[in-house]
Amino acid sequence: MNKTLKTLVSFTSACVIGIFVTACGQDSSKPQVSENTVNKDKKPYNILYIMTDDHAAQAIGTYGSRLAKVNPTPNLDKLASEGMVFENAFVTNSICSPSRATILTGQYSQTNGVQDLKGGIGKDQQYLPLEMKKAGYETAIVGKWHLKQEPGAFDYYQVLPGQGSYFDPSFRVQGDKAWPNNTTEYTGHSSDVITDITIDWLENRKSDKPFFLMHQFKAPHDYFEYAPRYNDYLADATIPEPVDLYGVPDTFGSKATRGENDSLIREIGTSISKRNPRRNYGQYYKTDPNLPDDEYTRITYQEYLKGYLRCIKGVDDNIARLIQTLKDKGLYDNTIIVYTSDQGMMLGEHDFQDKRWIWDESIQMPFIVRHPDIDNAGSRSELLINNTDYAPFLLDLVGQETPEYMHGRSFTPALKGEEPDNWRTATFYRYWTHRMYHDVPAHTGLRSKDYKLIFFYGDNYREQQFPFYQPKWVKKTGLEPNKIPTPAGWELYDMNNDPDELVNIYEDPKYASVIKELKTELVRQRELYNETDANYPRMKAIFDKHFND
């Protein structure tokens, strides 16, 4: 074990190494037995894991984006000032159910079986709470679940059915009634109600075990229904705009995302502007369609961001309530607090809304950790982590080994400012749901610290397609976009010199060696993490056909 890591106090173990790969292609050894560094004179740590839905890192003050000046997260920023901020945390499939399944299983989507919103995981596959219980923890989950089947591996749950409602939500509650008929109704805004339930559990629980509590907000998922007390918040503010809100340069994208001769420009991706006539946010906000294009875009963007940020303000205020409860009960100094979101969110960048895309605004996850006995206040880590690592990390904090079936790996040394040995240099990404909800083509790729390589394969992996979710559009046009392939194509972005991802340099010959290295790594990770499409021959054929394009 690393000597400095031994100084972590009770129930913090050595970095448990799972299966991983480096850019040079060397696999790690099998997981090693952790030393248990429990301090017998101190109680084991509680863990409060707080997760929002679609809270982009650029909408948190401590991440320093264009939105910092209208920062709605003073309480999160204070939490960050007491711990460590991870600046390179990324989701592996930017959509709600798959991300949550990956967090609970430590596995990529093709292995855990939750590739899209139709997937769910049963009790036996809810590995994180099961392993926490082996470590002697009482487990609870409150709030958004979104994984279809009962969260039966937890000792306690109150969860929203599906997406749940922003106002007067129903919850499925562990108790005498069987799932899914065990519903209870509440009055109020979901962010407040979820926090009320968690506080009630903290104040009335009977167990003398340490707790592992997953507190999961619905907010700020669209359509951004905020509590009425925030009506005036930001009312007179002008929200800063992204650089390409009013149109992307010709250097952005490829035939895969623009179409041949830009034929897909008006179809791909939900827009803020009038660009996408089927789905743009001006339609939702009933912006006057007769306004000039730029004015329509400006007004819609301001409405969109203010609704989103008001939902976040409600989250931040409720986080303050949670923290105060811990302090009132004498738990704050013995509780590790983790804050994250299930993915990021496009906030007008490239004139896009929603997540799903591999663009950084969509895949970057906020990740903040306050450990009461590690002196790292206000520190930041650039370690490249993803959500397969979250379960191993949380388990390592309580001295529990990473199971061999998990793909991820613990990164606890980072809390002490150290990089774990042989850490990954690129993180794998795949979005499976071709054009189903927001007309985003199916794609895969790698994000390294320096570059992003993307392959848009543009077809639906399901032989049995979803019923399209906009029947009026199908009736009007006869078209179901999720059944319509888009051109295959590659894109490459220089993340150091082009952080806004505006210039596709894939065709530039001076990057040929970079592309070769990243493609080699992409193939390696596909094989290592069971992402080779062995069960999806149509997808494999597309990848093989266009690999050398």
Side-chain angles (χ1 to χ4, degrees), residues 153-201:
F154 290 86
D155 295 312
Y156 174 87
Y157 68 79
Q158 283 209 51
V159 295
L160 296 167
Q163 286 284 359
S165 300
Y166 262 119
F167 287 98
D168 300 335
S170 298
F171 283 76
R172 289 178 177 153
V173 183
Q174 181 200 50
D176 297 333
K177 294 182 180 178
W179 177 279
N181 300 314
N182 50 343
T183 57
T184 297
E185 311 296 323
Y186 288 88
T187 300
H189 189 271
S190 71
S191 295
D192 301 333
V193 173
I194 290 167
T195 305
D196 290 343
I197 294 169
T198 289
I199 290 174
D200 182 71
W201 183 81

Side-chain angles (χ1 to χ4, degrees), residues 520-534:
T520 299
E521 179 69 1
L522 179 62
V523 169
R524 182 161 40 247
Q525 292 203 27
R526 277 168 58 90
E527 292 174 351
L528 186 64
Y529 299 131
N530 186 36
E531 290 285 340
T532 60
D533 290 340

Side-chain angles (χ1 to χ4, degrees), residues 4-14 37-39 42-49 76 78-86 132 137 323 326 331-339 367-379 392-399 410-417:
T4 57
L5 188 58
K6 285 186 179 179
T7 61
L8 300 187
V9 289
S10 70
F11 267 64
T12 302
S13 70
T37 57
V38 176
N39 181 341
K42 182 164 182 149
K43 293 181 180 179
Y45 296 113
N46 304 302
I47 296 182
L48 172 60
Y49 174 93
L76 269 179
K78 185 176 187 302
L79 182 70
S81 73
E82 297 178 359
M84 176 167 280
V85 174
F86 287 81
M132 281 288 178
Y137 275 68
I323 290 173
L326 293 177
L331 295 170
Y332 190 66
D333 291 334
N334 202 47
T335 300
I336 299 168
I337 301 175
V338 176
Y339 179 81
F367 201 84
I368 298 168
V369 182
R370 178 196 177 271
H371 193 303
D373 284 319
I374 298 179
D375 185 14
N376 61 4
S379 61
F393 171 75
L394 293 165
L395 292 172
D396 196 12
L397 290 174
V398 303
S410 174
F411 50 92
T412 51
L415 296 176
K416 299 287 288 184

Side-chain angles (χ1 to χ4, degrees), residues 447-486:
R447 169 61 155 93
S448 72
K449 285 187 178 179
D450 297 325
Y451 295 99
K452 183 178 292 176
L453 177 72
I454 316 166
F455 177 54
F456 289 93
Y457 57 93
D459 206 345
N460 201 322
Y461 80 101
R462 286 182 176 270
E463 300 298 330
Q464 186 81 25
Q465 307 285 9
F466 293 167
F468 196 62
Y469 78 108
Q470 284 191 328
K472 290 182 180 178
W473 179 264
V474 176
K475 184 176 181 180
K476 177 181 177 181
T477 64
L479 301 175
E480 292 189 50
N482 66 329
K483 294 183 179 180
I484 304 171
T486 49

Side-chain angles (χ1 to χ4, degrees), residues 533-546:
D533 290 340
N535 296 322
Y536 307 105
R538 284 192 305 111
M539 304 300 99
K540 184 179 184 302
I542 295 170
F543 187 86
D544 293 344
K545 178 180 178 181
H546 294 281

